Amino acid sequence: MSFDAAKAKNTIESGKAVLGIEFGSTRIKAVLVDEANQPIASGSHEWENQLVNGVWTYSMDAIWGGLQDCYSDLAADVRKKYGIVIENLAAIGFSAMMHGYLAFDKNDELLVPFRTWRNTITEQASKELFDLFQFNIPQRWSISHLYQAILNGEEHVKDVAFFTTLAGYIHWQMTGQKVIGIGDASGMFPIDSESRDYNQKMIDQFDALVAPKGYPWKLRDILPKALLAGEDAGVLTEEGAKKLDVSGMLKPGIPIAPPEGDAGTGMAATNSVAVRTGNVSAGTSVFAMIVLEKELSRAYPEIDMVTTPTGDAVAMVHCNNCTSDLNAWVGLFREFSEAFGVEVDMDRLFGTLYNKALEGDKDCGGVVAYNYFAGEPVTGLNEGRPLMVRTPDAKFNLANFMRANLYASLATLKIGLDLLLKNEDVQVDRIMGHGGLFKTKGVGQSILAAAMDSPVSVMETAGEGGPWGMAILASYLVNKKEGESLDTFLNESVFAGSEGVEIKPDPADVAGFDAYIESYKAGIAIEKAAVEAI
């Protein structure tokens, strides 16, 4: 689609543009889209979390200063490109990294500094809630933070009148509404996908668990109300407009979408909200999200359960390690080339080595790689040691070496996904791959197709990521047709004609990866020994 600056300018001037803002771990980013949901302006603000008294946090000043700077940067981009100011918008949406703990008293005062998803200080709470609910409750979830504060006997808990996520907090300050998108809510407390609301049975179990403490609140009363994508979540108040746009140009009254988490915006940005679809993000870390047709037969500690922005159950496998070790080996080959006085273009080097992997044996010929820079909960490791292991009679050549490293980047993910695809017989029609692993055309894509035994698509552009996904959800709020589902809206109004390039799994590759993964699992004991010894 060719870019028409005059048309984009008219969209902004007439108040028909839609804004999405997402708070990531290291960057707050804003994306403005036109009526075709194409990005027409953007802004950003870099920020970092702080470790204060053993807790990873962002200060309130950092949150508000960051949001205002991000919006100002967007406004500057609009002025530079189109020579105009933003006065009105069709809709706005706020999203953020999920989970964490922002707790407030009856006077709306923050009780303790924001505890982010990054904290691993809730192990006891996480384990006890898993046992109580028979549902995986990761340490980063909001309910883990609340219950750990109870276990710690923290004084503030009796005064909690409301707790929420970062996106939920921003939305509340913008609209006065204590609501949250259901996808973000699913990282606070388990969701019942039948009722499209918090799981009432588990709420009752939690209330009974903490009843002896005599707190004046019940859990549902202090949780934000969960809303589905497209539902009314309030409008920008006069106070909210001043907090967002310090120049005072932005008018109040703009509809604001239910606030979402970064998992939900990622699903929207990759057109992966329909049942039997999913997406895999593969970079420094890797995660897969698959939208389920039915509940799993039991809880798995390796699998997080969240939801789409419309409340369908999503199984998520998250792994800490993906491309770091692979990149380190490619860096070594660059050093080797430079030692011979040959300057190598890195894109060409990656492409050459990745494509060489396709010439290797399907099972890597007895070569096994472990890419663990960091610990890996899925395989029970608190720390990592990158390793390359082979049998004396292995076919050790460049093709098998590279193929083993590519397999390693997805091996732990495959172990988690096999619980879904093989133990639970979860059916997947389409997976969308995005991230650095898929940059070399066709290679990472075909390896993922083999790992999952499922077709994998990669789009030419991944859009603008999370903030673009949030802008799409805000666009859906105001532009959907009567009764139109989010899935239909994405297919017809956002992704029509841009399905991406699909690769189907090669049965020989599937069998080869299955054979490799058996050796890989058997060798986890070597990895554990390396952690203890080195």
Side-chain angles (χ1 to χ4, degrees), residues 245-380:
D245 179 11
V246 292
S247 76
M249 298 304 295
L250 190 65
K251 293 174 180 169
I254 300 164
I256 302 188
E260 263 303 341
D262 47 6
T265 59
M267 288 180 230
T270 55
N271 194 15
S272 308
V273 302
V275 166
R276 294 170 66 121
T277 68
N279 74 93
V280 171
S281 173
T284 305
S285 62
V286 61
F287 64 83
M289 293 187 284
I290 297 174
V291 188
L292 303 177
E293 290 178 282
K294 60 182 191 300
E295 279 188 24
L296 301 181
S297 66
R298 66 177 184 86
Y300 294 88
E302 301 90 347
I303 297 168
D304 294 356
M305 294 301 303
V306 291
T307 78
T308 68
T310 51
D312 286 311
V314 174
M316 179 177 178
V317 179
H318 184 279
C319 307
N320 292 335
N321 303 279
C322 185
T323 58
S324 295
D325 195 40
L326 193 53
N327 294 345
W329 282 113
V330 174
L332 193 73
F333 284 112
R334 183 190 66 190
E335 273 193 62
F336 173 79
S337 299
E338 288 173 351
F340 276 89
V342 180
E343 288 294 325
V344 180
D345 174 77
M346 286 305 286
D347 284 345
R348 189 177 171 205
L349 182 58
F350 269 102
T352 301
L353 290 170
Y354 274 37
N355 278 295
K356 190 71 181 171
L358 298 183
E359 299 172 19
D361 292 300
K362 303 296 187 184
D363 63 355
C364 304
V367 181
V368 182
Y370 294 90
N371 65 335
Y372 292 171
F373 264 59
E376 198 58 84
V378 172
T379 46

Side-chain angles (χ1 to χ4, degrees), residues 124-137 205:
Q124 185 187 356
S126 172
K127 283 179 176 168
E128 289 189 17
L129 292 175
F130 182 99
D131 291 341
L132 177 69
F133 299 147
Q134 286 302 294
F135 188 99
N136 189 24
I137 307 290
Q205 287 175 308

Side-chain angles (χ1 to χ4, degrees), residues 144-167:
S144 294
H145 282 280
L146 175 64
Y147 187 49
Q148 191 65 51
I150 291 169
L151 292 173
N152 294 347
E154 293 185 38
E155 186 64 26
H156 82 270
V157 177
K158 68 180 188 321
D159 299 319
V160 175
F162 176 56
F163 76 118
T164 190
T165 64
L166 180 54

Side-chain angles (χ1 to χ4, degrees), residues 173-207:
Q173 296 300 301
M174 291 290 131
T175 63
Q177 302 294 312
K178 292 179 177 177
V179 300
I180 192 171
I182 196 164
D184 203 14
S186 71
M188 290 192 74
F189 192 86
I191 295 292
D192 176 355
S193 286
E194 291 294 314
S195 65
R196 311 270 157 166
D197 195 5
Y198 300 111
N199 186 302
Q200 188 59 46
K201 180 190 171 191
M202 294 180 193
I203 282 189
D204 293 341
Q205 287 175 308
F206 185 86
D207 284 338

Side-chain angles (χ1 to χ4, degrees), residues 479-499:
N479 293 321
K480 66 181 183 297
K481 301 184 187 85
E482 184 68 36
E484 185 178 28
S485 70
L486 177 60
D487 178 35
T488 302
F489 179 79
L490 290 174
N491 283 324
E492 295 182 1
S493 300
V494 182
F495 292 98
S498 61
E499 291 78 21

